[in-house]
Amino acid sequence: MNEIIIGSAAALGALGLLFGALLAVASRFFGVTADSRVIQVRENLPGANCGGCGYAGCNAFAEAIVSGGAPVNGCPANSTENAQRIASIMGVECGDVEPLVAMVRCRGTLANTHIKYEYEGITDCAAAAALAEGYKACRFSCMGLGNCTRVCPTGAVTVVDGLATIDHDRCITCGKCVAACPRHIIHLVPASAGAVVLCSANAKGKTVREACDVGCIGCGICARVCRFGAITMVDDLPIIDYDKCTGCNQCVDKCPRNAIRGREGSRKVAFIHSEECVGCTLCAGECKFDAIEGEPKTIHSVDPDKCSGCKQCVNVCPQEAITLIDKD
Amino acid sequence: METFKSLLLIVLSSALVNNFVLSRYLGCCPFLGVSKKVDTALGMGLAVIFVMAMASVITWLVQYYLLEADWLAALGIGDLRFLQTIAFILVIAALVQFVEMVIQKSAPALYSALGVYLPLITTNCAVLGVAIININEGYNLLETLFNGIGGAVGFALAIVLFAGIRERQEYADIAKSFRGFPIALITAGLMAIAFLGFQGLIR
């Protein structure tokens, strides 16, 4: 018995050694030296092969970067530091990329949206949406059957109470859920966006009211209260220009349906450090909420009740005397 | 003359009558995977011809001079025939590595066109199949070589013909649900029926 085991191991081992040696010799004649930059670049990519860059995987993307066809910051899931490292490998500049996050623009949980009928078909959002415009009364709402959950490579999307919910810590912004959603309600928005509309209903107020307790009724109050011209009403839905939005939360506070979500974290107010303020009044002129008081050449102060934390005064202060602090 | 005749029969039989893809249903993965363009199909066919011919010869040598060699009995082992599959796979894997190296060096365009299907020749059951058929049929070394070449030429023939048809299908007006793989599978089936016509060629 022992002879057979040892014989087998020896036979296969000998074969393996022989072929290995032959291949080693052959590689001296036929070996191709790979571009070492491809390996370096690939080491600075997440390696999830999510395809968010538009290439077949991280390896294909690394090759595309090195052969010059792809931007060094083309990976949506990559951190800025890694993108900069790739840029230095390639010897190019890489601009700052605004990180994006996937956002479900619907709040239609089973409790919020009215249910038309009980759906017992296959677990597929597109199929459910095709059956009499879905089992939820709103024809723009999340179907909650998890097409997005199934394509998410990191398990960041879960369906909670009939509504797709995204864990932003896990989201790598690959955009797969955006493509998978048959109702196109998942969008990639800048992580720093000051306000995001959490409804996708391009319908008149009456229709939305009948279908959902929390949907946007297209009243346009948000567009009127916005002092920065960041909101326009298009097809009964506010469109927020994230470049203009300052995160002042006026629309968030005034929305009668609470359909706009502000920036995460606590509210901020401006605070003027008296030792640096020279009383130039630039901040007071910039403030759209009349929250800054003070005569020229005297130290200014901020009325925290009026201040919205829009940060405009911080940006104009030549003395850098203003910082944002937590409101409470 | 007699040898020549029997070798010709072996080649014809393995290339046409018992075509690996269309009669034995071996090696369907690359057959469907790299048959979108005639050029790459031809490259695949040539790579398989080389691997199958070499694998036939080397596995034959491994079988008779290692796995069931006389000197094993002298060592008190009997024979190692049960290692056939793993030993053959080892041979094929080494050969594929070699082919991959050569193609990467000499034809990078073909290398990237073949993509994953090139290393997958390792698990191409047509290659393992021809090696095992050679042993089961009791062929001698020369017959083994010709059986390997014949089988591989049959594979190359089938994949190139199939690629030619699929290239034309790209421009054909095919019902939406049949586009792509469904019509390719139907085409493969029709080709298999056509190759049935060779059955009467050799008695």
Side-chain angles (χ1 to χ4, degrees), chain A residues 8 12 19 23 26-27 30-31, chain B residues 80 82-83 91 94 98 101 105:
Chain A
S8 307
L12 281 183
F19 291 135
L23 281 177
S27 74
F30 294 107
Chain B
L80 294 172
F82 61 90
L83 288 176
V91 172
F98 179 69
M101 236 186 276
K105 177 87 174 181

Side-chain angles (χ1 to χ4, degrees), chain A residues 10-328:
Chain A
L12 281 183
L15 272 184
L17 270 179
L18 177 69
F19 291 135
L22 288 178
L23 281 177
V25 173
S27 74
R28 291 188 68 106
F29 296 102
F30 294 107
V32 176
T33 42
D35 195 333
S36 63
R37 289 180 303 172
V38 175
I39 300 158
Q40 286 174 329
V41 168
R42 195 182 50 214
E43 278 168 0
N44 283 304
L45 290 172
N49 293 320
C50 69
C53 53
Y55 292 88
C58 292
N59 207 17
F61 181 55
E63 276 168 18
I65 289 178
V66 173
S67 58
V72 288
N73 53 13
C75 174
N78 219 357
S79 63
T80 319
E81 299 89 69
N82 276 346
Q84 262 149 9
R85 245 173 266 144
I86 294 172
S88 70
I89 293 168
M90 296 304 300
V92 294
E93 288 293 314
C94 120
D96 281 339
V97 214
E98 176 71 19
L100 300 171
V101 285
M103 198 80 84
V104 180
R105 292 185 50 186
C106 179
R107 292 201 299 147
T109 57
L110 293 175
N112 286 340
T113 309
H114 308 163
I115 306 298
K116 280 195 296 194
Y117 61 87
E118 202 134 311
Y119 177 75
E120 287 185 354
I122 55 172
T123 315
D124 182 273
C125 300
L131 190 60
E133 292 187 332
Y135 66 95
K136 288 179 180 173
C138 175
R139 65 189 176 90
F140 301 96
S141 72
C142 170
M143 282 287 102
L145 294 173
N147 278 19
C148 44
T149 309
R150 284 185 286 278
V151 295
C152 182
T154 59
V157 191
T158 45
V159 174
V160 181
D161 198 16
L163 179 70
T165 312
I166 297 175
D167 179 352
H168 289 152
D169 293 335
R170 284 174 154 189
C171 177
I172 57 168
T173 330
C174 66
K176 287 200 170 168
C177 52
V178 177
C181 179
R183 290 206 148 159
H184 310 295
I185 58 169
I186 307 183
H187 292 244
L188 296 182
V189 298
S192 63
V196 182
V197 181
L198 295 183
C199 180
S200 304
N202 291 117
K204 294 285 176 210
K206 184 170 178 286
T207 319
V208 176
R209 250 183 239 279
E210 282 164 2
C212 176
D213 294 337
V214 292
C216 168
I217 51 174
C219 63
I221 289 178
C222 48
R224 283 197 294 280
V225 299
C226 181
R227 299 181 198 211
F228 302 95
I231 304 184
T232 43
M233 296 298 292
V234 179
D235 294 335
D236 299 300
L237 207 59
I239 305 291
I240 299 180
D241 183 338
Y242 300 120
D243 291 334
K244 289 183 184 168
C245 176
T246 61
C248 69
N249 285 323
Q250 295 300 302
C251 53
V252 177
D253 293 340
K254 297 282 160 45
C255 178
R257 310 278 282 181
N258 288 327
I260 305 181
R261 200 189 85 141
R263 205 173 274 153
E264 276 176 32
S266 58
R267 294 282 174 99
K268 306 277 187 191
V269 286
F271 177 76
I272 299 176
H273 298 273
S274 50
E275 55 271 29
E276 270 129 41
C277 179
V278 293
C280 67
T281 74
L282 273 177
C283 51
E286 190 68 23
C287 184
K288 293 208 159 56
F289 302 91
D290 295 327
I292 301 180
E293 292 160 355
E295 294 299 308
K297 308 259 168 146
T298 62
I299 293 166
H300 288 34
S301 65
V302 177
D303 179 352
D305 292 330
K306 286 183 181 170
C307 177
S308 67
C310 70
K311 214 182 168 187
Q312 298 305 296
C313 50
V314 178
N315 295 342
V316 295
C317 181
Q319 300 295 315
E320 294 178 6
I322 313 179
T323 50
L324 289 186
I325 56 169
D326 284 350
K327 188 163 187 171
D328 302 311

Side-chain angles (χ1 to χ4, degrees), chain A residues 1-17, chain B residues 62 66-68 71-72 75-84 86-87 90:
Chain A
M1 190 63 201
N2 279 341
E3 290 84 5
I4 295 183
I5 295 173
I6 295 166
S8 307
L12 281 183
L15 272 184
L17 270 179
Chain B
V62 166
L66 182 67
L67 298 185
E68 46 182 283
W71 52 267
L72 285 178
L75 296 173
I77 298 175
D79 71 64
L80 294 172
R81 254 174 258 191
F82 61 90
L83 288 176
Q84 194 186 48
I86 190 168
L90 191 64

Side-chain angles (χ1 to χ4, degrees), chain B residues 21-22 50 55 89 120 130 143 167 180:
Chain B
V21 183
L22 298 170
F50 178 78
I89 289 283
L120 275 184
V130 78
E143 288 168 336
E167 269 190 359

Side-chain angles (χ1 to χ4, degrees), chain B residues 157-197:
Chain B
L157 181 73
I159 194 171
V160 170
L161 288 178
F162 188 52
I165 297 173
R166 281 185 80 178
E167 269 190 359
R168 262 159 242 207
Q169 277 173 354
E170 290 285 309
Y171 301 104
D173 184 22
I174 298 165
K176 197 179 169 193
S177 51
F178 281 101
R179 269 175 221 161
F181 266 113
I183 194 71
L185 288 169
I186 292 171
T187 311
L190 290 175
M191 282 180 71
I193 295 175
F195 268 66
L196 264 184

